[in-house]
Amino acid sequence: MDALIEINHVTHYYNTADESVIAALDDVSLKVFPGEFVAVIGHNGSGKSTLAKHINALLLPDKGSVTVAGLDTKSPENLWEIRRSAGMVFQNPDNQLVATSVEEDVAFGPENLGLPASEIRSRVDESLKRVDMYSYREQSPHTLSGGQKQRVAIAGVIAMRPEIIVFDEPTAMLDPVGRAEVMQTIGRLNREEGLTAVLITHYMDEAVEADRVIVMEQGKIVMDDHPKKVFSQVAELRRLHLDIPQVTELAIQLQSAGLNIPSSILTVEEMADALCQ
Ligand code: ADP
Ligand code: MG
């Protein structure tokens, strides 16, 4: 199978205020395959957002190359097709919602594609249903909760019929209810509709839900493995100043208190099973 996203030895430099240069990405290579759900974790400043912006050509590599659905991000003629096929959802939904009603907001992208009005209408309705926000379609976005706003932002992206959505800390500004709503939406789009999802997060309980976890440190990928494998490396994660999932932490404590419990527990369900045995 061909990779949907192919990041090939990419280095990205920024000029800093004091006129030095930093490599925010330092020879990074990564392939993401169709239908995968990949989480990206790493300390602040490790290069996660810079990586995300390379996936939809908001940034271009100083060295190496990025292809999305086989299209090189460096070719200007590919720009629109790359932005359509790899959508992005950012941290602050208020920066993404611009219109006076929910449905106008979702229509914004399809309108820019120059689609006929009937096609725009059907895409808007379908997208809002897919994120469970159809009944709010005539409301003003500012009357919505954070989680609802973020779901409208996701609807705006799926109205473009993307193959990939890159989520850059989409739950960072949400309360626990909003976080759960957005995570359910992402999980459903991935599992039931085959959407490829790249989720940048600092919540380990969110990363656990992915098929694969990428760990970044100082512009490099330092781990790339199944959540079970990544979160079993407790000492290494601590060295990288990353948390481990709360239930995993609990499992380790119970283990050191003498209980016969595996330390590979990642979810509340697994913990319940282990305790019942
Ligand atoms: P993360 O998303 O993991 O927090 P970023 O990709 O935002 O990391 O940043 C990686 C590094 O690049 C950090 O050291 C950050 O300070 C620096 N950086 C990010 N954006 C810019 C910019 N526009 N100009 C200069 N330096 C930047
Ligand atoms: Mg970031």
Side-chain angles (χ1 to χ4, degrees), residues 12-14 16 22-26 28 40-53 91 168-169 200-202 215-222 240-242:
H12 188 91
Y13 299 112
Y14 288 116
T16 62
I22 64 148
L25 296 178
D26 184 1
V28 166
V40 182
I41 61 175
H43 201 244
N44 278 343
S46 58
K48 304 180 299 296
S49 293
T50 304
L51 181 74
K53 287 174 187 159
Q91 196 174 93
D168 192 351
E169 304 202 19
I200 297 171
T201 183
H202 64 262
V215 183
M216 294 195 66
E217 166 74 353
Q218 295 193 339
K220 290 185 184 292
I221 291 176
V222 292
L240 297 168
H241 306 287
L242 293 170

PDB file of all heavy atoms in Angstrom, residues 12-14 16 22-26 28 40-53 91 168-169 200-202 215-222 240-242:
ATOM      1  N   HIS A  12      13.587  21.587   8.999  1.00  0.00           N
ATOM      2  CA  HIS A  12      12.974  22.910   8.897  1.00  0.00           C
ATOM      3  C   HIS A  12      13.666  23.881   9.857  1.00  0.00           C
ATOM      4  O   HIS A  12      13.737  23.637  11.050  1.00  0.00           O
ATOM      5  CB  HIS A  12      11.474  22.854   9.216  1.00  0.00           C
ATOM      6  CG  HIS A  12      10.800  24.157   8.923  1.00  0.00           C
ATOM      7  ND1 HIS A  12      10.224  24.434   7.704  1.00  0.00           N
ATOM      8  CD2 HIS A  12      10.677  25.276   9.661  1.00  0.00           C
ATOM      9  CE1 HIS A  12       9.754  25.667   7.728  1.00  0.00           C
ATOM     10  NE2 HIS A  12      10.023  26.208   8.898  1.00  0.00           N
ATOM     11  N   TYR A  13      14.155  24.976   9.316  1.00  0.00           N
ATOM     12  CA  TYR A  13      14.835  25.985  10.127  1.00  0.00           C
ATOM     13  C   TYR A  13      13.925  27.183  10.374  1.00  0.00           C
ATOM     14  O   TYR A  13      13.168  27.582   9.497  1.00  0.00           O
ATOM     15  CB  TYR A  13      16.087  26.502   9.402  1.00  0.00           C
ATOM     16  CG  TYR A  13      17.128  25.452   9.114  1.00  0.00           C
ATOM     17  CD1 TYR A  13      17.406  25.066   7.804  1.00  0.00           C
ATOM     18  CD2 TYR A  13      17.854  24.864  10.160  1.00  0.00           C
ATOM     19  CE1 TYR A  13      18.376  24.109   7.533  1.00  0.00           C
ATOM     20  CE2 TYR A  13      18.818  23.906   9.888  1.00  0.00           C
ATOM     21  CZ  TYR A  13      19.079  23.527   8.578  1.00  0.00           C
ATOM     22  OH  TYR A  13      20.026  22.585   8.313  1.00  0.00           O
ATOM     23  N   TYR A  14      14.025  27.735  11.569  1.00  0.00           N
ATOM     24  CA  TYR A  14      13.422  29.040  11.835  1.00  0.00           C
ATOM     25  C   TYR A  14      14.541  30.002  12.204  1.00  0.00           C
ATOM     26  O   TYR A  14      15.487  29.622  12.901  1.00  0.00           O
ATOM     27  CB  TYR A  14      12.475  28.986  13.044  1.00  0.00           C
ATOM     28  CG  TYR A  14      11.166  28.262  12.849  1.00  0.00           C
ATOM     29  CD1 TYR A  14      10.895  27.107  13.578  1.00  0.00           C
ATOM     30  CD2 TYR A  14      10.180  28.755  11.998  1.00  0.00           C
ATOM     31  CE1 TYR A  14       9.673  26.452  13.448  1.00  0.00           C
ATOM     32  CE2 TYR A  14       8.950  28.105  11.866  1.00  0.00           C
ATOM     33  CZ  TYR A  14       8.703  26.953  12.588  1.00  0.00           C
ATOM     34  OH  TYR A  14       7.501  26.314  12.478  1.00  0.00           O
ATOM     35  N   THR A  16      15.456  32.919  14.596  1.00  0.00           N
ATOM     36  CA  THR A  16      14.922  33.377  15.873  1.00  0.00           C
ATOM     37  C   THR A  16      15.187  34.872  16.030  1.00  0.00           C
ATOM     38  O   THR A  16      15.928  35.469  15.243  1.00  0.00           O
ATOM     39  CB  THR A  16      15.554  32.607  17.053  1.00  0.00           C
ATOM     40  OG1 THR A  16      16.945  32.867  17.049  1.00  0.00           O
ATOM     41  CG2 THR A  16      15.321  31.118  16.921  1.00  0.00           C
ATOM     42  N   ILE A  22      17.303  27.893  14.397  1.00  0.00           N
ATOM     43  CA  ILE A  22      17.076  26.605  15.039  1.00  0.00           C
ATOM     44  C   ILE A  22      16.424  25.631  14.050  1.00  0.00           C
ATOM     45  O   ILE A  22      15.645  26.036  13.191  1.00  0.00           O
ATOM     46  CB  ILE A  22      16.204  26.696  16.320  1.00  0.00           C
ATOM     47  CG1 ILE A  22      14.792  27.182  15.976  1.00  0.00           C
ATOM     48  CG2 ILE A  22      16.830  27.573  17.382  1.00  0.00           C
ATOM     49  CD1 ILE A  22      13.761  26.595  16.905  1.00  0.00           C
ATOM     50  N   ALA A  23      16.801  24.355  14.190  1.00  0.00           N
ATOM     51  CA  ALA A  23      16.181  23.315  13.368  1.00  0.00           C
ATOM     52  C   ALA A  23      14.979  22.768  14.144  1.00  0.00           C
ATOM     53  O   ALA A  23      15.133  21.945  15.035  1.00  0.00           O
ATOM     54  CB  ALA A  23      17.176  22.202  13.068  1.00  0.00           C
ATOM     55  N   ALA A  24      13.785  23.260  13.823  1.00  0.00           N
ATOM     56  CA  ALA A  24      12.569  22.805  14.512  1.00  0.00           C
ATOM     57  C   ALA A  24      12.224  21.381  14.094  1.00  0.00           C
ATOM     58  O   ALA A  24      11.616  20.635  14.854  1.00  0.00           O
ATOM     59  CB  ALA A  24      11.408  23.739  14.212  1.00  0.00           C
ATOM     60  N   LEU A  25      12.616  21.007  12.869  1.00  0.00           N
ATOM     61  CA  LEU A  25      12.589  19.606  12.447  1.00  0.00           C
ATOM     62  C   LEU A  25      13.991  19.286  11.963  1.00  0.00           C
ATOM     63  O   LEU A  25      14.590  20.064  11.218  1.00  0.00           O
ATOM     64  CB  LEU A  25      11.584  19.365  11.312  1.00  0.00           C
ATOM     65  CG  LEU A  25      10.110  19.598  11.628  1.00  0.00           C
ATOM     66  CD1 LEU A  25       9.265  19.363  10.370  1.00  0.00           C
ATOM     67  CD2 LEU A  25       9.628  18.696  12.764  1.00  0.00           C
ATOM     68  N   ASP A  26      14.500  18.139  12.405  1.00  0.00           N
ATOM     69  CA  ASP A  26      15.888  17.809  12.129  1.00  0.00           C
ATOM     70  C   ASP A  26      15.954  16.408  11.505  1.00  0.00           C
ATOM     71  O   ASP A  26      15.958  15.413  12.205  1.00  0.00           O
ATOM     72  CB  ASP A  26      16.649  17.856  13.465  1.00  0.00           C
ATOM     73  CG  ASP A  26      18.138  17.632  13.297  1.00  0.00           C
ATOM     74  OD1 ASP A  26      18.593  17.464  12.149  1.00  0.00           O
ATOM     75  OD2 ASP A  26      18.829  17.629  14.333  1.00  0.00           O
ATOM     76  N   VAL A  28      13.662  14.572   9.768  1.00  0.00           N
ATOM     77  CA  VAL A  28      12.510  13.749  10.173  1.00  0.00           C
ATOM     78  C   VAL A  28      11.955  12.959   8.982  1.00  0.00           C
ATOM     79  O   VAL A  28      11.727  13.526   7.916  1.00  0.00           O
ATOM     80  CB  VAL A  28      11.395  14.654  10.766  1.00  0.00           C
ATOM     81  CG1 VAL A  28      10.070  13.897  10.884  1.00  0.00           C
ATOM     82  CG2 VAL A  28      11.826  15.193  12.122  1.00  0.00           C
ATOM     83  N   VAL A  40       0.668  12.151  17.880  1.00  0.00           N
ATOM     84  CA  VAL A  40       2.011  12.735  18.005  1.00  0.00           C
ATOM     85  C   VAL A  40       2.092  13.424  19.360  1.00  0.00           C
ATOM     86  O   VAL A  40       1.277  14.308  19.661  1.00  0.00           O
ATOM     87  CB  VAL A  40       2.306  13.750  16.879  1.00  0.00           C
ATOM     88  CG1 VAL A  40       3.724  14.305  17.021  1.00  0.00           C
ATOM     89  CG2 VAL A  40       2.112  13.119  15.498  1.00  0.00           C
ATOM     90  N   ILE A  41       3.041  12.984  20.190  1.00  0.00           N
ATOM     91  CA  ILE A  41       3.237  13.609  21.495  1.00  0.00           C
ATOM     92  C   ILE A  41       4.671  14.114  21.588  1.00  0.00           C
ATOM     93  O   ILE A  41       5.541  13.729  20.797  1.00  0.00           O
ATOM     94  CB  ILE A  41       2.913  12.641  22.667  1.00  0.00           C
ATOM     95  CG1 ILE A  41       3.813  11.402  22.642  1.00  0.00           C
ATOM     96  CG2 ILE A  41       1.452  12.204  22.616  1.00  0.00           C
ATOM     97  CD1 ILE A  41       3.610  10.461  23.846  1.00  0.00           C
ATOM     98  N   GLY A  42       4.917  14.971  22.551  1.00  0.00           N
ATOM     99  CA  GLY A  42       6.265  15.524  22.725  1.00  0.00           C
ATOM    100  C   GLY A  42       6.163  16.798  23.544  1.00  0.00           C
ATOM    101  O   GLY A  42       5.121  17.470  23.541  1.00  0.00           O
ATOM    102  N   HIS A  43       7.237  17.114  24.213  1.00  0.00           N
ATOM    103  CA  HIS A  43       7.295  18.293  25.061  1.00  0.00           C
ATOM    104  C   HIS A  43       7.066  19.559  24.235  1.00  0.00           C
ATOM    105  O   HIS A  43       7.262  19.547  23.025  1.00  0.00           O
ATOM    106  CB  HIS A  43       8.694  18.317  25.707  1.00  0.00           C
ATOM    107  CG  HIS A  43       8.740  19.135  26.949  1.00  0.00           C
ATOM    108  ND1 HIS A  43       9.496  20.282  27.052  1.00  0.00           N
ATOM    109  CD2 HIS A  43       8.122  18.975  28.131  1.00  0.00           C
ATOM    110  CE1 HIS A  43       9.334  20.791  28.260  1.00  0.00           C
ATOM    111  NE2 HIS A  43       8.513  20.027  28.933  1.00  0.00           N
ATOM    112  N   ASN A  44       6.663  20.662  24.888  1.00  0.00           N
ATOM    113  CA  ASN A  44       6.533  21.949  24.191  1.00  0.00           C
ATOM    114  C   ASN A  44       7.792  22.280  23.425  1.00  0.00           C
ATOM    115  O   ASN A  44       8.889  22.165  23.957  1.00  0.00           O
ATOM    116  CB  ASN A  44       6.308  23.089  25.198  1.00  0.00           C
ATOM    117  CG  ASN A  44       4.858  23.186  25.603  1.00  0.00           C
ATOM    118  OD1 ASN A  44       3.989  22.650  24.929  1.00  0.00           O
ATOM    119  ND2 ASN A  44       4.611  23.865  26.711  1.00  0.00           N
ATOM    120  N   GLY A  45       7.634  22.708  22.185  1.00  0.00           N
ATOM    121  CA  GLY A  45       8.792  23.119  21.395  1.00  0.00           C
ATOM    122  C   GLY A  45       9.509  21.972  20.711  1.00  0.00           C
ATOM    123  O   GLY A  45      10.550  22.179  20.087  1.00  0.00           O
ATOM    124  N   SER A  46       8.963  20.757  20.792  1.00  0.00           N
ATOM    125  CA  SER A  46       9.661  19.611  20.192  1.00  0.00           C
ATOM    126  C   SER A  46       9.483  19.538  18.675  1.00  0.00           C
ATOM    127  O   SER A  46      10.143  18.740  18.019  1.00  0.00           O
ATOM    128  CB  SER A  46       9.203  18.301  20.848  1.00  0.00           C
ATOM    129  OG  SER A  46       7.808  18.128  20.727  1.00  0.00           O
ATOM    130  N   GLY A  47       8.574  20.352  18.123  1.00  0.00           N
ATOM    131  CA  GLY A  47       8.435  20.412  16.661  1.00  0.00           C
ATOM    132  C   GLY A  47       7.123  19.845  16.124  1.00  0.00           C
ATOM    133  O   GLY A  47       6.957  19.718  14.903  1.00  0.00           O
ATOM    134  N   LYS A  48       6.173  19.550  17.005  1.00  0.00           N
ATOM    135  CA  LYS A  48       4.919  18.916  16.583  1.00  0.00           C
ATOM    136  C   LYS A  48       4.116  19.797  15.613  1.00  0.00           C
ATOM    137  O   LYS A  48       3.673  19.330  14.570  1.00  0.00           O
ATOM    138  CB  LYS A  48       4.045  18.584  17.808  1.00  0.00           C
ATOM    139  CG  LYS A  48       4.748  17.714  18.844  1.00  0.00           C
ATOM    140  CD  LYS A  48       3.859  17.409  20.037  1.00  0.00           C
ATOM    141  CE  LYS A  48       3.389  18.620  20.847  1.00  0.00           C
ATOM    142  NZ  LYS A  48       4.458  19.371  21.521  1.00  0.00           N
ATOM    143  N   SER A  49       3.935  21.072  15.984  1.00  0.00           N
ATOM    144  CA  SER A  49       3.133  21.949  15.112  1.00  0.00           C
ATOM    145  C   SER A  49       3.849  22.218  13.792  1.00  0.00           C
ATOM    146  O   SER A  49       3.213  22.335  12.748  1.00  0.00           O
ATOM    147  CB  SER A  49       2.839  23.279  15.819  1.00  0.00           C
ATOM    148  OG  SER A  49       1.992  23.062  16.922  1.00  0.00           O
ATOM    149  N   THR A  50       5.158  22.297  13.866  1.00  0.00           N
ATOM    150  CA  THR A  50       5.930  22.493  12.632  1.00  0.00           C
ATOM    151  C   THR A  50       5.732  21.295  11.704  1.00  0.00           C
ATOM    152  O   THR A  50       5.511  21.456  10.497  1.00  0.00           O
ATOM    153  CB  THR A  50       7.423  22.696  12.971  1.00  0.00           C
ATOM    154  OG1 THR A  50       7.528  23.799  13.871  1.00  0.00           O
ATOM    155  CG2 THR A  50       8.253  22.974  11.728  1.00  0.00           C
ATOM    156  N   LEU A  51       5.751  20.102  12.272  1.00  0.00           N
ATOM    157  CA  LEU A  51       5.499  18.893  11.488  1.00  0.00           C
ATOM    158  C   LEU A  51       4.106  18.950  10.863  1.00  0.00           C
ATOM    159  O   LEU A  51       3.932  18.697   9.660  1.00  0.00           O
ATOM    160  CB  LEU A  51       5.624  17.663  12.395  1.00  0.00           C
ATOM    161  CG  LEU A  51       5.419  16.310  11.715  1.00  0.00           C
ATOM    162  CD1 LEU A  51       6.640  15.966  10.861  1.00  0.00           C
ATOM    163  CD2 LEU A  51       5.182  15.208  12.745  1.00  0.00           C
ATOM    164  N   ALA A  52       3.106  19.322  11.676  1.00  0.00           N
ATOM    165  CA  ALA A  52       1.720  19.381  11.185  1.00  0.00           C
ATOM    166  C   ALA A  52       1.611  20.326   9.989  1.00  0.00           C
ATOM    167  O   ALA A  52       0.958  20.007   8.997  1.00  0.00           O
ATOM    168  CB  ALA A  52       0.793  19.846  12.311  1.00  0.00           C
ATOM    169  N   LYS A  53       2.266  21.473  10.089  1.00  0.00           N
ATOM    170  CA  LYS A  53       2.144  22.476   9.028  1.00  0.00           C
ATOM    171  C   LYS A  53       2.811  22.047   7.722  1.00  0.00           C
ATOM    172  O   LYS A  53       2.512  22.586   6.661  1.00  0.00           O
ATOM    173  CB  LYS A  53       2.726  23.812   9.504  1.00  0.00           C
ATOM    174  CG  LYS A  53       1.828  24.494  10.532  1.00  0.00           C
ATOM    175  CD  LYS A  53       2.488  25.726  11.092  1.00  0.00           C
ATOM    176  CE  LYS A  53       1.668  26.300  12.247  1.00  0.00           C
ATOM    177  NZ  LYS A  53       2.505  27.164  13.096  1.00  0.00           N
ATOM    178  N   GLN A  91      -6.004  24.438  17.677  1.00  0.00           N
ATOM    179  CA  GLN A  91      -6.353  24.458  19.093  1.00  0.00           C
ATOM    180  C   GLN A  91      -7.574  25.322  19.402  1.00  0.00           C
ATOM    181  O   GLN A  91      -8.460  24.922  20.134  1.00  0.00           O
ATOM    182  CB  GLN A  91      -5.126  25.012  19.827  1.00  0.00           C
ATOM    183  CG  GLN A  91      -5.123  24.774  21.290  1.00  0.00           C
ATOM    184  CD  GLN A  91      -3.793  25.233  21.899  1.00  0.00           C
ATOM    185  OE1 GLN A  91      -3.678  26.371  22.350  1.00  0.00           O
ATOM    186  NE2 GLN A  91      -2.802  24.373  21.906  1.00  0.00           N
ATOM    187  N   ASP A 168      -4.241  19.666  15.562  1.00  0.00           N
ATOM    188  CA  ASP A 168      -3.139  20.180  16.380  1.00  0.00           C
ATOM    189  C   ASP A 168      -3.681  20.614  17.744  1.00  0.00           C
ATOM    190  O   ASP A 168      -4.189  21.720  17.891  1.00  0.00           O
ATOM    191  CB  ASP A 168      -2.427  21.333  15.674  1.00  0.00           C
ATOM    192  CG  ASP A 168      -1.100  21.683  16.367  1.00  0.00           C
ATOM    193  OD1 ASP A 168      -0.832  21.155  17.473  1.00  0.00           O
ATOM    194  OD2 ASP A 168      -0.343  22.489  15.794  1.00  0.00           O
ATOM    195  N   GLU A 169      -3.597  19.720  18.710  1.00  0.00           N
ATOM    196  CA  GLU A 169      -4.108  19.943  20.072  1.00  0.00           C
ATOM    197  C   GLU A 169      -5.552  20.461  20.077  1.00  0.00           C
ATOM    198  O   GLU A 169      -5.842  21.501  20.680  1.00  0.00           O
ATOM    199  CB  GLU A 169      -3.170  20.871  20.852  1.00  0.00           C
ATOM    200  CG  GLU A 169      -1.752  20.321  20.886  1.00  0.00           C
ATOM    201  CD  GLU A 169      -0.917  20.871  22.037  1.00  0.00           C
ATOM    202  OE1 GLU A 169      -1.485  21.384  23.011  1.00  0.00           O
ATOM    203  OE2 GLU A 169       0.314  20.752  21.955  1.00  0.00           O
ATOM    204  N   ILE A 200      -2.192  15.562  17.244  1.00  0.00           N
ATOM    205  CA  ILE A 200      -1.170  16.070  18.156  1.00  0.00           C
ATOM    206  C   ILE A 200      -1.859  16.345  19.483  1.00  0.00           C
ATOM    207  O   ILE A 200      -2.902  17.008  19.511  1.00  0.00           O
ATOM    208  CB  ILE A 200      -0.548  17.364  17.596  1.00  0.00           C
ATOM    209  CG1 ILE A 200       0.156  17.059  16.273  1.00  0.00           C
ATOM    210  CG2 ILE A 200       0.400  17.995  18.609  1.00  0.00           C
ATOM    211  CD1 ILE A 200       0.610  18.295  15.536  1.00  0.00           C
ATOM    212  N   THR A 201      -1.308  15.826  20.551  1.00  0.00           N
ATOM    213  CA  THR A 201      -1.980  16.021  21.838  1.00  0.00           C
ATOM    214  C   THR A 201      -0.974  15.988  22.977  1.00  0.00           C
ATOM    215  O   THR A 201       0.089  15.379  22.861  1.00  0.00           O
ATOM    216  CB  THR A 201      -3.067  14.945  22.068  1.00  0.00           C
ATOM    217  OG1 THR A 201      -3.731  15.221  23.310  1.00  0.00           O
ATOM    218  CG2 THR A 201      -2.496  13.536  22.115  1.00  0.00           C
ATOM    219  N   HIS A 202      -1.319  16.684  24.081  1.00  0.00           N
ATOM    220  CA  HIS A 202      -0.500  16.463  25.270  1.00  0.00           C
ATOM    221  C   HIS A 202      -1.256  15.655  26.314  1.00  0.00           C
ATOM    222  O   HIS A 202      -0.794  15.502  27.436  1.00  0.00           O
ATOM    223  CB  HIS A 202       0.075  17.777  25.819  1.00  0.00           C
ATOM    224  CG  HIS A 202      -0.952  18.740  26.316  1.00  0.00           C
ATOM    225  ND1 HIS A 202      -1.400  19.787  25.548  1.00  0.00           N
ATOM    226  CD2 HIS A 202      -1.618  18.805  27.476  1.00  0.00           C
ATOM    227  CE1 HIS A 202      -2.308  20.466  26.232  1.00  0.00           C
ATOM    228  NE2 HIS A 202      -2.465  19.883  27.415  1.00  0.00           N
ATOM    229  N   VAL A 215       6.656   9.912  19.139  1.00  0.00           N
ATOM    230  CA  VAL A 215       7.142  10.794  20.193  1.00  0.00           C
ATOM    231  C   VAL A 215       8.238  11.680  19.607  1.00  0.00           C
ATOM    232  O   VAL A 215       9.185  11.186  18.987  1.00  0.00           O
ATOM    233  CB  VAL A 215       7.716   9.995  21.386  1.00  0.00           C
ATOM    234  CG1 VAL A 215       8.142  10.940  22.506  1.00  0.00           C
ATOM    235  CG2 VAL A 215       6.697   8.976  21.900  1.00  0.00           C
ATOM    236  N   MET A 216       8.081  12.993  19.802  1.00  0.00           N
ATOM    237  CA  MET A 216       9.084  13.930  19.282  1.00  0.00           C
ATOM    238  C   MET A 216       9.878  14.561  20.417  1.00  0.00           C
ATOM    239  O   MET A 216       9.361  14.796  21.507  1.00  0.00           O
ATOM    240  CB  MET A 216       8.415  15.025  18.461  1.00  0.00           C
ATOM    241  CG  MET A 216       7.781  14.461  17.196  1.00  0.00           C
ATOM    242  SD  MET A 216       7.375  15.748  16.020  1.00  0.00           S
ATOM    243  CE  MET A 216       9.026  16.323  15.597  1.00  0.00           C
ATOM    244  N   GLU A 217      11.125  14.854  20.105  1.00  0.00           N
ATOM    245  CA  GLU A 217      12.008  15.515  21.065  1.00  0.00           C
ATOM    246  C   GLU A 217      13.023  16.325  20.268  1.00  0.00           C
ATOM    247  O   GLU A 217      13.718  15.771  19.410  1.00  0.00           O
ATOM    248  CB  GLU A 217      12.695  14.438  21.929  1.00  0.00           C
ATOM    249  CG  GLU A 217      13.878  14.902  22.749  1.00  0.00           C
ATOM    250  CD  GLU A 217      13.497  15.741  23.966  1.00  0.00           C
ATOM    251  OE1 GLU A 217      12.316  16.090  24.125  1.00  0.00           O
ATOM    252  OE2 GLU A 217      14.410  16.061  24.742  1.00  0.00           O
ATOM    253  N   GLN A 218      13.066  17.646  20.508  1.00  0.00           N
ATOM    254  CA  GLN A 218      14.021  18.530  19.842  1.00  0.00           C
ATOM    255  C   GLN A 218      14.111  18.294  18.335  1.00  0.00           C
ATOM    256  O   GLN A 218      15.207  18.116  17.781  1.00  0.00           O
ATOM    257  CB  GLN A 218      15.405  18.379  20.483  1.00  0.00           C
ATOM    258  CG  GLN A 218      15.381  18.856  21.919  1.00  0.00           C
ATOM    259  CD  GLN A 218      16.773  19.035  22.507  1.00  0.00           C
ATOM    260  OE1 GLN A 218      17.745  18.458  22.007  1.00  0.00           O
ATOM    261  NE2 GLN A 218      16.859  19.833  23.542  1.00  0.00           N
ATOM    262  N   GLY A 219      12.957  18.295  17.689  1.00  0.00           N
ATOM    263  CA  GLY A 219      12.936  18.226  16.236  1.00  0.00           C
ATOM    264  C   GLY A 219      13.176  16.865  15.641  1.00  0.00           C
ATOM    265  O   GLY A 219      13.311  16.735  14.421  1.00  0.00           O
ATOM    266  N   LYS A 220      13.241  15.841  16.496  1.00  0.00           N
ATOM    267  CA  LYS A 220      13.445  14.478  15.989  1.00  0.00           C
ATOM    268  C   LYS A 220      12.341  13.554  16.484  1.00  0.00           C
ATOM    269  O   LYS A 220      11.760  13.786  17.540  1.00  0.00           O
ATOM    270  CB  LYS A 220      14.790  13.924  16.470  1.00  0.00           C
ATOM    271  CG  LYS A 220      16.006  14.582  15.840  1.00  0.00           C
ATOM    272  CD  LYS A 220      17.263  13.847  16.302  1.00  0.00           C
ATOM    273  CE  LYS A 220      18.537  14.502  15.786  1.00  0.00           C
ATOM    274  NZ  LYS A 220      18.700  14.397  14.329  1.00  0.00           N
ATOM    275  N   ILE A 221      12.095  12.494  15.692  1.00  0.00           N
ATOM    276  CA  ILE A 221      11.190  11.442  16.151  1.00  0.00           C
ATOM    277  C   ILE A 221      12.027  10.455  16.954  1.00  0.00           C
ATOM    278  O   ILE A 221      12.977   9.868  16.438  1.00  0.00           O
ATOM    279  CB  ILE A 221      10.507  10.748  14.958  1.00  0.00           C
ATOM    280  CG1 ILE A 221       9.531  11.726  14.292  1.00  0.00           C
ATOM    281  CG2 ILE A 221       9.778   9.479  15.412  1.00  0.00           C
ATOM    282  CD1 ILE A 221       8.852  11.201  13.038  1.00  0.00           C
ATOM    283  N   VAL A 222      11.676  10.298  18.246  1.00  0.00           N
ATOM    284  CA  VAL A 222      12.482   9.416  19.098  1.00  0.00           C
ATOM    285  C   VAL A 222      11.780   8.085  19.404  1.00  0.00           C
ATOM    286  O   VAL A 222      12.423   7.141  19.872  1.00  0.00           O
ATOM    287  CB  VAL A 222      12.915  10.106  20.413  1.00  0.00           C
ATOM    288  CG1 VAL A 222      13.901  11.231  20.112  1.00  0.00           C
ATOM    289  CG2 VAL A 222      11.723  10.657  21.191  1.00  0.00           C
ATOM    290  N   LEU A 240      11.833  12.287  28.927  1.00  0.00           N
ATOM    291  CA  LEU A 240      11.372  13.249  27.921  1.00  0.00           C
ATOM    292  C   LEU A 240      10.343  14.222  28.493  1.00  0.00           C
ATOM    293  O   LEU A 240       9.722  14.986  27.761  1.00  0.00           O
ATOM    294  CB  LEU A 240      10.760  12.494  26.729  1.00  0.00           C
ATOM    295  CG  LEU A 240      11.711  11.586  25.947  1.00  0.00           C
ATOM    296  CD1 LEU A 240      10.942  10.682  24.988  1.00  0.00           C
ATOM    297  CD2 LEU A 240      12.732  12.419  25.183  1.00  0.00           C
ATOM    298  N   HIS A 241      10.155  14.182  29.822  1.00  0.00           N
ATOM    299  CA  HIS A 241       9.183  15.050  30.509  1.00  0.00           C
ATOM    300  C   HIS A 241       7.770  14.838  30.009  1.00  0.00           C
ATOM    301  O   HIS A 241       6.990  15.789  29.883  1.00  0.00           O
ATOM    302  CB  HIS A 241       9.562  16.528  30.387  1.00  0.00           C
ATOM    303  CG  HIS A 241      10.953  16.812  30.843  1.00  0.00           C
ATOM    304  ND1 HIS A 241      11.310  16.809  32.171  1.00  0.00           N
ATOM    305  CD2 HIS A 241      12.077  17.056  30.140  1.00  0.00           C
ATOM    306  CE1 HIS A 241      12.600  17.053  32.263  1.00  0.00           C
ATOM    307  NE2 HIS A 241      13.093  17.207  31.049  1.00  0.00           N
ATOM    308  N   LEU A 242       7.437  13.583  29.671  1.00  0.00           N
ATOM    309  CA  LEU A 242       6.083  13.277  29.240  1.00  0.00           C
ATOM    310  C   LEU A 242       5.382  12.497  30.336  1.00  0.00           C
ATOM    311  O   LEU A 242       6.015  11.766  31.097  1.00  0.00           O
ATOM    312  CB  LEU A 242       6.117  12.465  27.949  1.00  0.00           C
ATOM    313  CG  LEU A 242       6.641  13.244  26.750  1.00  0.00           C
ATOM    314  CD1 LEU A 242       6.875  12.326  25.567  1.00  0.00           C
ATOM    315  CD2 LEU A 242       5.677  14.362  26.375  1.00  0.00           C
TER     316      LEU A 242
END
